[in-house]
Amino acid sequence: MDEEFNWLEYSESMEATAGDGEAPGKSRGLRRFLPGRPSLPRLRRGSRAASGPPSASDILEGQDERALADLDERLRALRERSVAASQPAAPAHQALYDVDDLLASPDLQSKPGGVISAVALSKAQERQVEMLRDIVGGPSQSQGTGGDRQLPVFSLDAAPRLLGTALLILVVCLPFVSSDYAEGELPPSVFPEDRHGPRDMYNLLDNLSRDDYVLVGFEYGPTAAGELDLLADLLLRHIFAQRVKPLIVSSNPIAVVHAQNVIKDINRSLSSADAQLVHGEDYFLLRYLPGGALGLRELSENFADIVRISARGLPTGLEFAALEEMTELLLIAESAEVIRNWVEQVLPEAEGSRLLVATGYAAQPLAQAYAEGMEQIVGPLFGIRDAFTYGEKLRATFGAFVSVEPPVGPVIEPAPVNAESDSQAELPRATQAEIEDAPATALPQPTETAPPTATPFMTDTPPAPTLTPLPTDKPAPTATEASIRIVEVTSDQRVNIRLGPTTVHDILALGYKGDMFEVIGSNGDGSWYQILLPAGVEAWIAAFLVEERVVSASEFAGAQDSASASESAARAVMQLGFTLRLGKNRPRFYQAQPPPSGDRPELALHRDRSLETPRLQAMTLGTLAAVLVIVFGNTIYALRGLLRGPRAQGR
Amino acid sequence: MSNRTGRGQGFGIALSAFVAFAVGAVTALSLLLGDNPALFGDQPGSAQLAGLLALPADVLLRLVTIVVALSIVIGIANLLTTHVGRLSRGKFYSAVLLASFGFTVYWYVTRRGDTSLLEAVQVPIESALAALLCLSLLHGGSRVLGKRADIWGLLFVAVAVIVLLASTPIAELAPVQAWRDWLMRVPVGAGARAMLIGIALGTVVTGVRALLGQDRSVRG
C-alpha cells in the first residue's frame, strides 16, 4: 500500500515538533535505535540531558501534539470535520440534529462523491469503495461528482443487469405456473443420520407434555419472513399441537407483531370447528425487550417480572420464579448477533434447559459452531429445506392420531407433491410413526443390520425382501379347515415390530409374550418373519423372538378374541393409536392420547402446503440461474480482460 | 464570563467522566463477584453476600434498559417534531410520514390484535428490499472478474459457485455437495469460531479501555 505508515519517519517528525534543538540532519526518532548509531540523543525536553537509553516513559513524555502538516489527508479531514461539528449547528430550540439537514449540509455535499467521501476515507479505501460501487453497477466518481446523476433506464450499460434480472425472475416464476419445470429432488421426510442437531431438536419438542412451558425467542422481522416463516410456523404448530404453552418474547419490536401474525395464520388454517388459539390461554406474547443484549440480560435476571406483562401491557397472570422453570428454550433468529446474545445473556440462567436454535442460512455457521461446542445448545434447523423435512415429520407423527381423512378444504392437505408422496399416502397412518433413535427397551437384536444411511420412508422405501414359502414340518390340522401359519411371541420382554426386516427400520408396534400374528412371508435367510397385524398392516418381526406354528383358522381367531378380552390385550399391540417418541439421552415412551382430550393433531396437519413444492423448485431453478449468470458474466469479463491485455487491466 | 463558562464545562466533563468510570467499575466488579458464592468459600452467609454484591449490577443494568426504552420514545418524538418542521417547509414526504404514523397508531389502538398493516405493507416492502439486495448481489457476482481479475477474484467466484451449486438438490451434483460440506465445516466454521473469539477479546479490550479512561465515548 502506498500510504503505509512509516514509524521511523513518524518518530522523527514527532521529535522535530518537540524542538529539542538538535542540529538538522542528525538522526532522530526511532531511527536512532538502529544499529550503527554513534550516540544517543536527548529525548527529554527541558534541561535534563539523556544520560542513557530512553525508557518507555521518556518516549511517552516526549510525545506532543503532531503538527498539522504531519497528518495525512484522512486525519486532517477528520480533524476539520470534528472542528466543524463542535460548532453549534442546530438551533437552540432543537434538542437533536435534524438528519435531513446534516445530510444536506454544504460540508458534505461539497465533498466529491457525496456522503461516503465525507467520512474521510483514505485513498486506498476510496479505491475499494469505487470498485464495490462499480461492481454493483452504481455511478462512479469518474462519471460525475454528484449523486444526482440519473442513469437512463434503458442503456447499454444496464443491459446485462436487466437481462440477468429478467432471467432470474422468469426462472423463479416458472414452477408456480406449471409443474413441468420441476427440477431437483424434494427434501427427505426425515433428517439424515449425520445431522443429530435437527433430529434431537424434533425429539425434544416432541417430548414436551401439556404441563410444560417453552420460552420462544421470536427474533426475526419481515425481512427474514420469506426464509423463516415456514420454520416458525411448524415449530409453533408442533408446540401448540401438544398443548404446550409457549411464552413468546423478542428484543425486536416488530418481531413481536410478526409473531402475532404467524399465530394468526395458524388460526386461519383451522376450520371453524376447531378451537382457535387464544392469547392468554394457549400462548403468551410477552412484552418487548428493549436494549438488545441488555434486554435479554434483563429477561434472564428478572424473568418473574417480565412474564407478568404481555405485549399489550396487560397482566398475563403467569407466575414464574426464574427462567429455570422453562422446560426448553426455543430461539428463532435471523442474525448471528442475536444468537450470540441469547447464548451469552439468557442461556447461563437457564440451567437444565436447552436452547433449540432455528435460523437462516446467514447465521447457520455460527449456530452450528455453538451447537457443536456446547451441549446445552441443540440444532440448528435452518432454511426452507429443513422446514420442509420438519413438516413431513410432523405430518407423519400426528397423522398417526387421525384415523379418518382430514377435512377437505382449500387449506388442508393439498395434493401429493410427487409420485413418491403418492405411494406414501397409500401407507396406513400407523406406518408413519417414526423414531429417531434406538428403542428404549434393550431387546436382543438380530445380527442382521443395515448400513446407517438416511432412510426417509417417502423416498427410500424399505428393501423388498424375497418372500420365500415357509417350510413347515408340522402336520396340517385338518383337511376341511383352513390352516394359518402364525408366529407366537415367546420372548419375556416386549418385542419390536418393525416396518422392515432390519433393526434400523421404524417400529410400528410392540408385541408381548403370547401374542399371535399371521405370517405372510420371511426374508431370504429366515431371520425375520413378515406378519400381518390385526388391522391389515404388514410388518416384520425377528425370528428368534417368536415361535412359528401352524394353527387352524378357528384356533387363531379364538386366540385373537380371547386376547382382546383378556387383560393382556390392553398391553398387546398398540397399533394405529400408538406413537413412539424418544428424547435425547432420555428415551421415553408415550401413549398417545385421543385428540379431544390430549394433543391437537389438527394443528400439525391442517396447513396449506400447496405452495411448498413450487417454492422449493423455484429456489432450485433460481439458484441454477444465479450460477449461470455469475459464470457467464465472469467468463465474458475475464475474456475481455485477456483480450485487452495487461495494460488495459491495469488502468 | 467565558472563562468561567469554560471552567464550568471542564468541571462538568471531569464529573461526568468520574461518574462514568465509577459506574463502570462498580458494574464490572458486581458482575464478577456477584451471584457467585463459590468465591467466598463455605462460610455462612456467603450466598447472601454474593447476592448483595450482584445487586448494583442488576439495578444499573435495569436502569440502562429503561434508558434505552426511553430513548426510543425520545427518538419518535424527535422524528415527529423534525417532520412537523419540514412540513412547514412544504415537504411532501413529511406529510406522508406524519399521516402514516397517525393512521397506524389509530389502527392499532382501535383494532387491537389486527396485524393487517404489517401483512399488507411492512412484509411486502421488506421482502422487496431483500429481493433487490439479492439482484444486486447477483449482478455484482457476475462482474467480479471484470474488476478483480486475480487469484482472489477467481477464488471468490469459485467458492460462490460451489456453495450455490451445492445448495441445489440435484443428485448429479453430489461431489460438489461434498466440497460445500468441507467449506462450511472447515473454513466457515473456523471463521465463525474466530469471530466469537475476536468479539470476546474485543469486548474485553473495549471494556478495559473504557474503565481506564482511554475510550471516552461517554463524554468523559
Side-chain angles (χ1 to χ4, degrees):
Chain A
M1 185 182 290
D2 53 358
E3 292 181 333
E4 188 175 2
F5 187 75
N6 190 324
W7 280 101
L8 293 174
E9 293 176 1
Y10 171 73
S11 58
E12 282 182 346
S13 64
M14 182 189 73
E15 200 165 309
T17 307
D20 58 359
E22 285 192 353
K26 200 172 182 180
S27 295
R28 290 174 174 161
L30 297 177
R31 200 181 297 277
R32 69 174 62 92
F33 302 114
L34 293 176
R37 188 179 186 281
S39 60
L40 294 171
R42 289 169 51 211
L43 273 177
R44 293 181 180 176
R45 287 174 295 180
S47 59
R48 286 196 300 169
S51 58
S55 64
S57 61
D58 293 335
I59 296 176
L60 286 175
E61 191 178 339
Q63 287 182 348
D64 205 343
E65 285 192 1
R66 296 169 61 181
L68 287 178
D70 295 336
L71 299 176
D72 61 16
E73 179 191 0
R74 178 167 161 260
L75 291 177
R76 271 204 304 272
L78 280 174
R79 185 180 183 282
E80 289 167 7
R81 286 184 53 226
S82 66
V83 170
S86 64
Q87 304 300 323
H93 67 276
Q94 199 167 343
L96 297 174
Y97 292 110
D98 187 342
V99 176
D100 190 56
D101 291 341
L102 276 180
L103 289 179
S105 69
D107 288 343
L108 298 188
Q109 293 300 324
S110 62
K111 299 282 182 186
V115 177
I116 291 180
S117 293
V119 297
L121 302 177
S122 68
K123 282 191 168 50
Q125 289 170 327
E126 282 176 359
R127 278 199 299 274
Q128 289 172 351
V129 168
E130 182 70 14
M131 185 184 75
L132 284 175
R133 184 190 285 128
D134 189 55
I135 284 177
V136 298
S140 66
Q141 290 189 24
S142 59
Q143 291 173 326
T145 54
D148 298 333
R149 194 179 79 88
Q150 296 290 327
L151 282 176
V153 177
F154 298 105
S155 70
L156 202 58
D157 292 342
R161 202 180 335 168
L162 286 175
L163 283 176
T165 304
L167 174 68
L168 195 66
I169 292 174
L170 176 70
V171 161
V172 165
C173 289
L174 281 178
F176 290 97
V177 296
S178 171
S179 59
D180 297 336
Y181 300 100
E183 187 64 45
E185 299 165 2
L186 290 176
S189 57
V190 293
F191 292 107
E193 293 282 339
D194 57 346
R195 290 195 63 199
H196 299 289
R199 295 155 61 92
D200 292 342
M201 196 164 161
Y202 184 90
N203 288 343
L204 282 170
L205 285 180
D206 210 42
N207 272 342
L208 297 172
S209 61
R210 59 187 309 174
D211 295 328
D212 290 332
Y213 285 89
V214 176
L215 182 70
V216 179
F218 204 96
E219 298 280 12
Y220 75 94
T223 312
E227 189 178 19
L228 290 177
D229 262 1
L230 181 58
L231 207 47
D233 176 270
L234 290 166
L235 290 167
L236 287 176
R237 281 176 188 271
H238 198 178
I239 292 170
F240 286 136
Q242 298 176 107
R243 294 186 183 272
V244 178
K245 294 180 177 60
L247 275 56
I248 301 172
V249 71
S250 179
S251 60
N252 177 353
I254 203 162
V256 178
V257 189
H258 191 61
Q260 195 178 349
N261 207 26
V262 171
I263 295 172
K264 192 176 164 186
D265 284 343
I266 295 175
N267 269 334
R268 274 189 203 136
S269 71
L270 298 174
S271 63
S272 57
D274 299 323
Q276 299 278 301
L277 298 168
V278 179
H279 182 264
E281 294 178 11
D282 300 303
Y283 68 97
F284 297 90
L285 204 57
L286 304 182
R287 71 171 174 84
Y288 156 62
L289 302 170
L294 285 175
L296 292 176
R297 181 182 168 78
E298 193 194 0
L299 171 73
S300 61
E301 295 284 343
N302 305 303
F303 186 69
D305 293 340
I306 287 177
V307 296
R308 289 195 185 104
I309 307 296
S310 75
R312 296 194 173 278
L314 301 173
T316 59
L318 292 171
E319 291 292 337
F320 288 103
L323 194 59
E324 297 171 1
E325 295 182 35
M326 295 290 104
T327 310
E328 306 291 356
L329 313 181
L330 171 63
L331 173 61
I332 310 168
E334 64 177 313
S335 74
E337 185 188 358
V338 171
I339 295 175
R340 188 170 57 82
N341 286 341
W342 272 77
V343 172
E344 290 177 354
Q345 304 297 337
V346 180
L347 199 55
E349 296 293 328
E351 292 179 8
S353 304
R354 278 149 294 220
L355 181 66
L356 318 179
V357 180
T359 183
Y361 284 96
Q364 185 261 338
L366 188 83
Q368 189 73 45
Y370 271 130
E372 289 172 359
M374 297 177 69
E375 195 176 344
Q376 218 178 343
I377 298 176
V378 181
L381 277 174
F382 65 96
I384 295 176
R385 293 185 65 80
D386 273 4
F388 184 90
T389 303
Y390 200 94
E392 288 299 310
K393 284 181 63 65
L394 209 56
R395 198 161 67 99
T397 302
F398 285 91
F401 284 125
V402 183
S403 56
V404 296
E405 287 299 316
V408 178
V411 297
I412 297 167
E413 294 294 321
V417 293
N418 58 7
E420 290 167 341
S421 61
D422 283 345
S423 63
Q424 188 228 2
E426 297 293 328
L427 290 173
R429 290 292 183 183
T431 64
Q432 296 176 6
E434 298 168 22
I435 61 165
E436 292 292 306
D437 211 334
T441 51
L443 294 177
Q445 300 294 347
T447 54
E448 178 183 348
T449 57
T453 55
T455 55
F457 66 83
M458 246 180 73
T459 58
D460 193 2
T461 54
T466 56
L467 299 180
T468 56
L470 289 172
T472 173
D473 53 357
K474 296 183 179 180
T478 60
T480 56
E481 192 177 9
S483 60
I484 298 177
R485 284 188 290 268
I486 59 108
V487 288
E488 182 178 350
V489 177
T490 55
S491 171
D492 292 331
Q493 291 179 299
R494 186 172 53 186
V495 300
N496 294 332
I497 299 169
R498 296 178 179 270
L499 184 61
T502 68
T503 54
V504 298
H505 280 87
D506 294 337
I507 298 174
L508 297 183
L510 300 178
Y512 292 85
K513 188 173 184 179
D515 291 341
M516 290 185 190
F517 305 103
E518 183 182 352
V519 177
I520 56 175
S522 69
N523 65 344
D525 57 3
S527 58
W528 289 79
Y529 286 109
Q530 189 180 29
I531 59 175
L532 199 62
L533 296 179
V537 178
E538 295 177 1
W540 293 79
I541 191 168
F544 74 96
L545 299 171
V546 296
E547 179 187 327
E548 181 202 339
R549 286 197 288 134
V550 177
V551 297
S552 66
S554 58
E555 185 182 352
F556 180 65
Q560 294 287 80
D561 291 342
S562 61
S564 63
S566 69
E567 184 185 355
S568 63
R571 54 177 177 76
V573 176
M574 295 177 291
Q575 183 202 337
L576 293 177
F578 171 82
T579 185
L580 182 63
R581 305 176 186 182
L582 298 177
K584 182 186 179 187
N585 300 325
R586 195 180 50 178
R588 291 190 295 174
F589 286 101
Y590 283 86
Q591 178 69 44
Q593 299 294 324
S597 60
D599 290 358
R600 298 186 60 187
E602 75 276 6
L603 276 160
L605 299 173
H606 297 188
R607 62 189 182 88
D608 185 7
R609 301 174 63 239
S610 59
L611 290 179
E612 279 182 16
T613 306
R615 195 174 169 194
L616 286 164
Q617 288 161 351
M619 270 181 60
T620 303
L621 287 177
T623 307
L624 289 175
V627 170
L628 182 69
V629 169
I630 290 174
V631 171
F632 183 75
N634 281 296
T635 305
I636 295 292
Y637 279 111
L639 287 176
R640 197 173 70 172
L642 288 174
L643 292 176
R644 286 184 177 178
R647 185 179 169 188
Q649 284 187 24
R651 219 183 293 154
Chain B
M1 182 66 183
S2 61
N3 193 20
R4 184 179 299 173
T5 305
R7 200 176 301 161
Q9 283 180 346
F11 178 74
I13 289 172
L15 184 63
S16 64
F18 173 77
V19 170
F21 302 150
V23 168
V26 168
T27 307
L29 281 175
S30 178
L31 287 174
L32 287 172
L33 302 177
D35 273 343
N36 194 2
L39 285 176
F40 307 100
D42 296 332
Q43 302 299 323
S46 60
Q48 287 80 2
L49 179 61
L52 198 63
L53 287 171
L55 194 60
D58 282 347
V59 172
L60 291 169
L61 291 176
R62 197 181 290 196
L63 281 176
V64 172
T65 310
I66 295 171
V67 170
V68 170
L70 192 62
S71 70
I72 296 174
V73 178
I74 294 173
I76 294 172
N78 183 63
L79 184 77
L80 293 178
T81 53
T82 298
H83 283 276
V84 166
R86 285 165 53 89
L87 196 61
S88 63
R89 300 201 295 270
K91 302 283 187 181
F92 174 71
Y93 289 119
S94 294
V96 173
L97 184 138
L98 290 170
S100 303
F101 181 84
F103 178 71
T104 307
V105 170
Y106 169 77
W107 185 276
Y108 279 104
V109 168
T110 56
R111 299 176 160 212
R112 299 177 76 87
D114 192 342
T115 56
S116 305
L117 278 180
L118 184 82
E119 290 178 64
V121 179
Q122 194 79 18
V123 172
I125 287 177
E126 294 202 20
S127 301
L129 285 174
L132 285 176
L133 178 65
C134 170
L135 293 176
S136 295
L137 288 175
L138 175 65
H139 182 63
S142 69
R143 300 182 59 176
V144 169
L145 289 186
K147 280 293 156 188
R148 187 156 190 171
D150 56 11
I151 184 65
W152 301 112
L154 200 61
L155 188 65
F156 182 88
V157 172
V159 170
V161 168
I162 286 173
V163 171
L164 284 174
L165 276 182
S167 67
T168 56
I170 297 174
E172 289 78 13
L173 296 173
V176 184
Q177 287 170 2
W179 297 351
R180 195 274 306 263
D181 289 345
W182 182 85
L183 282 171
M184 298 302 287
R185 198 171 56 249
V186 181
V188 178
R193 285 176 166 81
M195 279 173 57
L196 289 176
I197 296 171
I199 290 170
L201 291 175
T203 305
V204 171
V205 169
T206 306
V208 170
R209 283 176 61 86
L211 287 177
L212 295 180
Q214 291 188 343
D215 192 342
R216 307 173 75 175
S217 60
V218 290
R219 289 284 294 171

